[in-house]
Amino acid sequence: MTLPDGIGVDVSRETSDALTRYVKLLEKWNKAINLVSKGTVADIWTRHIADSAQLFRMLPAQASSWVDLGSGGGLPGLVLAILSRDLERELNFVLVESDQRKATFLRQVAMELALPVKVYACRVENLPVELRADVVSARALAPLTDLCTLASPLLAPDGICIFPKGETAGQEIEAAMQHWHFDLVRFPSITSANSEILKLSKIRHV
């Protein structure tokens, strides 16, 4: 498997091949659509694939639905959907992306790789369906206060949020706690010494 050691995710050959196909599609489409920064393409497996894959180890045992907000090029949503192939249970994904071109890319990859993914090309606030997700994620989308506002209506009663954050995580937590109560667990990022992953549960407004 191409992922660096320590990610904590072991995958089958089929899943490894699917990740490789996804990376090739991402690189191809990135020439026309800004899916990821062009300066990070050369290090795409660590900067984007492994960075997304590490979230999978936080999947609750009984989770069946995962909603990814601001999915962009499918990071982490498509990566996690590909990894879910190795589960012995059904896990469905909803990807929300307001940019129509990026949403088209997400649908194309999901179709070519036969992934259990539904894509909504709209802002999170304008979702046409009611969701009760076991997991809500977002990568590089918004400050934590805004993420709580967006995610809380989408969560099942026992649902969790998983948000990768950079070196401003502490400041974002303090700001969010002015408006929200939540249980919080902080995990160091495996791919970046200056980053961490925030796991929130029992989110409620102050």
Side-chain angles (χ1 to χ4, degrees), residues 50-69:
D51 191 59
S52 297
Q54 66 177 321
L55 306 188
F56 202 70
R57 59 199 169 106
M58 300 176 188
L59 176 68
Q62 302 304 317
S64 61
S65 59
W66 190 312
V67 176
D68 186 46
L69 308 180

Side-chain angles (χ1 to χ4, degrees), residues 130-183:
E130 183 176 347
L131 300 174
R132 287 293 179 265
D134 296 310
V135 184
V136 173
S137 62
R139 182 176 184 257
L141 176 64
L144 185 59
T145 300
D146 296 337
L147 290 177
C148 289
T149 301
L150 294 172
S152 59
L154 309 178
L155 283 170
D158 295 325
I160 65 170
C161 291
I162 302 175
F163 300 136
K165 286 293 177 182
E167 57 188 13
T168 63
Q171 299 171 16
E172 291 190 35
I173 292 169
E174 290 185 11
M177 290 177 66
Q178 302 300 313
H179 306 280
W180 296 91
H181 291 301
F182 45 76
D183 292 350

Side-chain angles (χ1 to χ4, degrees), residues 79-95:
V79 173
L80 299 169
I82 292 170
L83 292 177
S84 73
R85 290 177 182 274
D86 290 322
L87 292 178
E88 294 182 356
R89 68 178 192 276
E90 185 175 359
L91 179 60
N92 294 304
F93 288 82
V94 169
L95 310 186

